[in-house]
Amino acid sequence: MSLAATAEAVCSGRTSASETVAQALAAIEAAAGLNAATHVHAERARARAAALDARISEGGDPGPLAGVPFAVKNLFDVEGQITRAGSRATGADPPAARDAYAIRALEEAGAVLVASTNMDELAYGFSGENAHDGDTRNPRDPRLSAGGSSSGSAALVAAGAVPLALGTDTNGSVRVPAALSGIAGLKPTYGRLSRSGVFSFVHSLDHVGVFAATADDLAAALAALDGPDPDDPAQASGVSPRPVPQELRAARLGGWFAAPLHPDVAEAVDAAAGALGAPTTVELTLAEAARAAAFVLTTAEGGQRHLAGLARHAERFGPLVRDRLRAGALVPAAWTGRAQKLRRRVTDELSDLHREADVLFAPATPCPAFPLGTAEHGVAGEVLPIRLGIGMFTQPLTLTGVPIGVAVRRGARSGLPVGVQVIGRPFEEATVLAAMARLEKAGFVMHPAQTEAAHA
Amino acid sequence: MPTFLPPPPGFDAEGYARAAASAIGLPLPDEAVAEVAANLARTAGFAALMAEAPEIDATEPAPVFRAGERER
């Protein structure tokens, strides 16, 4: 059921917010084996739902997301709780004084927070493996990674436990788990959504992003999240995007984005070209250098972000992140300066490509989900380190800050989800979502894993 | 093709790590030096790749400070 249909059912009295929340809480418990939720906010959610139901019975307007249960990555502030960000390094932090802006915005629209979710420690990773909380498991196959770092949020949506979840995307941390878990994901334009109350990782690259089943649901969530917040100094203002064009022009990104590809991914990109009527392939010549720049900015800013903690209590950082952050803190300014210049250059190059195409598209990952606990994976005859390979198509694009959606379908060979990135112009999320809706009509949509099992 | 790129020849990553850590007040235990240096060497490879972009050093950097941004 779509978010709008759930809200309509709640408003019309066919069901209640208390009922939708109770269902979500039961589904999260039933999905406990995925290790996707780290905190279930049952008491808060039930109270919130009861208040919504009371408002509806009094004839009040509960909002366009009335009774929609949602989850957030455990780096979003939840009032009264320590914001963990998947780490013991945050354990001595004070509890959050108020909810993150994004949680407040969704709840003002009638949605109800039910859980905080597992993640790669401090958002530094793509696998959903966590030394403190255990690994997130993929609902399509629990032996596999759900993708990361917003692993638990993607897994809960893919399992059908919640219809909506929030994550963050710095190098692909929404797009990779959306692709590997088999759900729709959106990384909006850098600066579009407020990040206040969100535990930072790399200030110049962090984005709040959304997971749901369809582009329509992403649009409904985006509408609620999209508002000015004076508490976020990086938020953009005064932006007026062009309307969605009648005739959508699309082009495929080749070059760096053409290989190595698992055959399921290659077929998905071909299918997207057919569905979007995109005969042309264009090349972002700076893609590889852009990935290098994103890597350098991430390690350097991430290291600086945690410098005080590393000096004070390095033992609280997990082994997957501790030495990477230490090394990042030592990166010389010459390298980060070059990365910021490269960022300008590649952003301009992508903008030129967007003159001839409203959306560009590219694979989200080179291959489907990989087994948990592995350091390398094979793709098209190549053996690649997962940490480098899985984000190779998302990382260069993050640098440009443009909005990017991920549409998924089942691969014929692996039987697992694979994803295509739909890349729009800055602040043209509506055009990205329109292209994703067109892809959905061509088979780029997957049902929650639980529903699949029930129908198998 | 995503491979680990070689660091610049002659880059003494362990020596650099020890010296730079002292400069910024980051304690660096002996047992961490090898892994930290390996990460730095990897980052050095990426930094070298960026240098191949023509006239990159003269390009305007992406983040531009705008005075009074909060008031607007």
Side-chain angles (χ1 to χ4, degrees), chain A residues 270-355:
Chain A
D270 287 343
L276 296 173
T280 55
T281 298
V282 295
E283 189 166 350
L284 187 70
T285 63
L286 287 171
E288 187 179 15
R291 187 182 64 112
F295 183 99
V296 170
L297 289 175
T298 298
T299 186
E301 283 191 41
Q304 290 167 30
R305 165 69 179 83
H306 293 291
L307 183 54
L310 289 165
R312 232 181 4 248
H313 45 68
E315 72 285 352
R316 293 192 202 154
F317 290 77
L320 292 174
V321 301
R322 188 189 302 125
D323 289 335
R324 284 196 288 157
L325 291 172
R326 279 174 166 149
L330 303 177
V331 164
W335 299 352
T336 52
R338 198 178 276 160
Q340 291 291 11
K341 292 169 183 179
L342 205 291
R343 184 182 200 180
R344 168 82 64 198
R345 196 74 75 77
V346 72
T347 302
D348 289 348
E349 190 188 9
L350 189 70
S351 173
D352 288 344
L353 297 181
H354 267 135
R355 283 196 194 138

Side-chain angles (χ1 to χ4, degrees), chain A residues 3-4 64-65 106 109 164 215-225 433:
Chain A
L3 302 191
L65 298 178
L106 288 178
L164 172 66
D216 271 357
D217 284 355
L218 293 175
L222 182 65
L225 290 164
L433 293 167

Side-chain angles (χ1 to χ4, degrees), chain A residues 126-142:
Chain A
F126 283 129
S127 69
E129 292 166 306
N130 186 296
H132 314 293
D133 294 320
D135 304 342
T136 309
R137 298 184 172 278
N138 191 322
R140 310 288 174 185
D141 179 341

Side-chain angles (χ1 to χ4, degrees), chain A residues 176-273:
Chain A
V176 168
L180 301 193
S181 296
I183 51 173
L186 177 69
K187 178 204 82 64
T189 309
Y190 181 80
R192 176 142 200 176
L193 300 184
S194 170
R195 303 182 305 191
S196 72
V198 180
F199 190 94
S200 59
F201 172 32
V202 180
H203 289 100
S204 64
L205 296 175
D206 289 344
H207 304 63
V208 166
V210 191
F211 298 103
T214 64
D216 271 357
D217 284 355
L218 293 175
L222 182 65
L225 290 164
D226 190 18
D229 178 11
D231 292 336
D232 180 358
Q235 199 179 25
S237 59
V239 174
S240 46
R242 276 168 282 200
V244 178
Q246 293 278 324
E247 298 277 329
L248 205 63
R249 297 171 305 159
R252 178 197 306 226
L253 280 182
W256 174 257
F257 299 93
L261 298 183
H262 183 285
D264 286 346
V265 177
E267 283 176 12
V269 178
D270 287 343

Side-chain angles (χ1 to χ4, degrees), chain A residues 89-193:
Chain A
T90 53
D93 290 355
R98 67 192 302 205
D99 293 339
Y101 176 91
I103 293 175
R104 285 183 275 130
L106 288 178
E107 292 208 323
E108 274 164 29
V112 182
L113 174 69
V114 293
S116 298
T117 61
N118 203 354
M119 57 183 283
D120 287 81
E121 182 169 0
L122 303 171
Y124 204 178
F126 283 129
S127 69
E129 292 166 306
N130 186 296
H132 314 293
D133 294 320
D135 304 342
T136 309
R137 298 184 172 278
N138 191 322
R140 310 288 174 185
D141 179 341
R143 294 167 298 180
L144 305 179
S145 164
S149 63
S150 311
S151 51
S153 286
L156 280 187
V157 174
V162 291
L164 172 66
L166 299 181
T168 53
D169 189 313
T170 301
N171 283 294
S173 284
V174 164
R175 289 163 288 157
V176 168
L180 301 193
S181 296
I183 51 173
L186 177 69
K187 178 204 82 64
T189 309
Y190 181 80
R192 176 142 200 176
L193 300 184

